[in-house]
Amino acid sequence: MSHSNPQTLDERLDHVYTQVEAMLSVSSVSTMATADDLPGAGRTLGKLFSFLGRRLEAAMNKFMERRGYGPQAAKDRIVMQRKEDMWVRLVGFPYYVPRDAPVRGSVEDRQQRKDIGKLLRYVSSQVVANHELACEAIIELAMRDSYVHCVLLELGAVKTIGLVSFKSERDSCDALLTPSRKALGCLLDTETNTLGSQVLEMEEKVASTKPRSRFFKPRLELFLVSFLKLADRARRSPDVAYLAMRYLQYNTRFALKIAEYNAEGFEILFLKCILDLVEHAPFKIEWPVLEDILCTFPTYVEDESHDLLRKLFNCSWEYIMPDNKEDLYYLGYGPDFDRDYRYSASSPEDSKVEGPEFSSDEQK
């Protein structure tokens, strides 16, 4: 999916940011004579025009979004053009199998490049919602479709997104990765994309191979090894954990189901990687994605895995949605479970579990 490059992700990001910083410094010198904050008679008027221009742009962008011209509409058009078939994975996520890349210069290629270019321009939007939607769409499309990934690189997406990412990180003190930084990492991170693509490819091959076939076992082993390598990638490089977790999210239920009878101890190795990530880099995690992954485990784990999973849920408890907390308590997970729950087992009919009450504020 990504072109090979001897540089590490950190080195590539440093290179991009160095280029962007140099470009910004040259731009600031060349435009200093027309800056709107210089002393003079036009200073106030210039600031007023800038303020009104931003307001007008924001209003127009919101209007066009409602009319179907925003980043979501651009993404939908790209998906409709690129999908070969639409199907739903075992985890319930819609996933499209991309077509082969169109002939370069053909009508189809030019149309798709046009839509991808429109999506890329929304990354620089001053409307926060449009900016975030565009970055999210770029991540999803680049992960799934190598053609879209390559076109984004050819259209200068690294430079465009790098400029936005540099400005946002310079002006922000937040420990969380910005949407533009995530999109930039997705385009540049060769190792995670390679592992993720291998996991998706091997899952399809395992699912389509009969268990008695001589190809089933080697394909299964390659799928599970790639899956664990991807989890270890998240543990070793927290800055790209969000990307690794998104690939894992598509395959976790299938991996647990297939490993239940074919690979003893698989879930323990996986949970140890995730637990290490949660303990050392909680602010680098997309919690809704990790929560979705973890909530598939109680059905499949047993013995030692239960202890690891319980510890993992305890570490993640403050980030889990209230509705899922209630379900997990009934399954025996959550902090202070033994203290908060009282069992009355005088008879099977009278057996009941009383759990903690969640406040209305937390329910919201």
Side-chain angles (χ1 to χ4, degrees):
M1 176 175 290
S2 302
H3 300 292
S4 60
N5 196 310
Q7 294 176 314
T8 65
L9 176 61
D10 289 338
E11 290 173 341
R12 301 184 76 178
L13 286 171
D14 288 342
H15 179 66
V16 171
Y17 285 151
T18 300
Q19 288 184 321
V20 167
E21 189 173 14
M23 182 177 63
L24 286 175
S25 62
V26 172
S27 175
S28 64
V29 171
S30 62
T31 59
M32 186 61 71
T34 57
D36 62 359
D37 200 29
L38 294 177
R43 181 179 186 183
T44 303
L45 187 60
K47 286 189 173 183
L48 176 62
F49 284 156
S50 296
F51 172 77
L52 293 177
R54 287 194 297 269
R55 286 296 186 91
L56 178 61
E57 182 185 14
M60 290 298 296
N61 278 336
K62 290 178 181 179
F63 173 76
M64 297 303 288
E65 180 71 26
R66 290 194 295 267
R67 300 279 294 180
Y69 291 95
Q72 185 62 44
K75 174 192 170 185
D76 292 342
R77 286 196 300 272
I78 295 170
V79 171
M80 291 301 296
Q81 294 167 357
R82 289 294 302 146
K83 71 176 183 179
E84 178 70 30
D85 186 23
M86 183 70 75
W87 56 291
V88 179
R89 292 178 170 273
L90 292 175
V91 289
F93 290 99
Y95 180 85
Y96 75 92
V97 179
R99 300 173 182 269
D100 293 334
V103 177
R104 191 178 185 88
S106 63
V107 175
E108 182 182 1
D109 178 63
R110 291 198 301 270
Q111 181 59 49
Q112 291 176 8
R113 287 173 180 271
K114 181 179 178 181
D115 287 328
I116 294 171
K118 288 181 179 179
L119 180 61
L120 181 59
R121 285 194 290 274
Y122 279 111
V123 172
S124 304
S125 173
Q126 298 298 316
V127 179
V128 176
N130 285 348
H131 164 72
E132 292 180 348
L133 283 172
C135 291
E136 184 67 25
I138 285 174
I139 293 172
E140 292 184 17
L141 293 171
M143 284 175 58
R144 300 176 180 182
D145 196 328
S146 59
Y147 168 75
V148 176
H149 196 148
C150 290
V151 171
L152 282 167
L153 294 177
E154 291 175 11
L155 293 178
V158 171
K159 184 178 179 179
T160 301
I161 301 175
L163 178 61
V164 177
S165 177
F166 180 82
K167 290 180 178 179
S168 61
E169 292 193 9
R170 181 185 59 185
D171 300 335
S172 174
C173 298
D174 197 343
L176 298 174
L177 294 178
T178 60
S180 54
R181 169 62 178 77
K182 291 180 182 180
L184 185 61
C186 178
L187 293 176
L188 294 177
D189 187 9
T190 304
E191 182 177 349
T192 304
N193 281 318
T194 300
L195 287 172
S197 298
Q198 188 174 30
V199 169
L200 293 175
E201 179 184 356
M202 292 311 303
E203 184 209 3
E204 295 173 15
K205 289 184 177 181
V206 172
S208 61
T209 305
K210 294 181 179 181
R212 293 185 179 181
S213 169
R214 62 188 179 91
F215 299 108
F216 180 78
K217 187 174 181 180
R219 288 178 177 177
L220 173 63
E221 290 178 351
L222 182 56
F223 166 68
L224 295 178
V225 168
S226 300
F227 192 91
L228 291 176
K229 284 184 177 180
L230 196 54
D232 188 61
R233 170 66 174 167
R235 179 188 65 82
R236 290 185 292 104
S237 304
D239 280 347
V240 294
Y242 71 94
L243 185 59
M245 288 296 176
R246 292 191 186 203
Y247 279 114
L248 294 171
Q249 185 183 25
Y250 292 122
N251 301 277
T252 300
R253 190 181 300 276
F254 178 81
L256 290 173
K257 186 174 182 179
I258 203 72
E260 187 175 10
Y261 305 105
N262 297 280
E264 184 178 355
F266 163 79
E267 67 276 6
I268 295 177
L269 296 175
F270 178 76
L271 289 174
K272 285 181 177 179
C273 287
I274 304 304
L275 180 60
D276 187 71
L277 173 65
V278 169
E279 289 179 336
H280 293 93
F283 296 108
K284 299 293 186 179
I285 296 172
E286 286 185 331
W287 286 101
V289 175
L290 180 57
E291 178 183 344
D292 186 80
I293 292 174
L294 294 181
C295 286
T296 63
F297 270 82
T299 306
Y300 298 98
V301 299
E302 56 185 27
D303 301 331
E304 182 183 349
S305 302
H306 270 302
D307 296 331
L308 277 172
L309 189 58
R310 184 171 289 107
K311 185 176 181 181
L312 191 47
F313 276 127
N314 288 347
C315 294
S316 311
W317 198 249
E318 62 180 297
Y319 305 102
I320 296 177
M321 295 294 291
D323 289 344
N324 283 335
K325 286 182 179 179
E326 293 189 43
D327 295 337
L328 290 170
Y329 257 106
Y330 284 111
L331 292 173
Y333 296 98
D336 301 323
F337 173 80
D338 294 331
R339 177 178 63 81
D340 289 338
Y341 270 79
R342 299 179 299 280
Y343 292 86
S344 175
S346 56
S347 66
E349 294 79 6
D350 297 333
S351 296
K352 64 178 181 178
V353 178
E354 297 180 359
E357 295 183 358
F358 295 88
S359 65
S360 57
D361 292 338
E362 190 174 13
Q363 289 282 8
K364 293 178 184 178

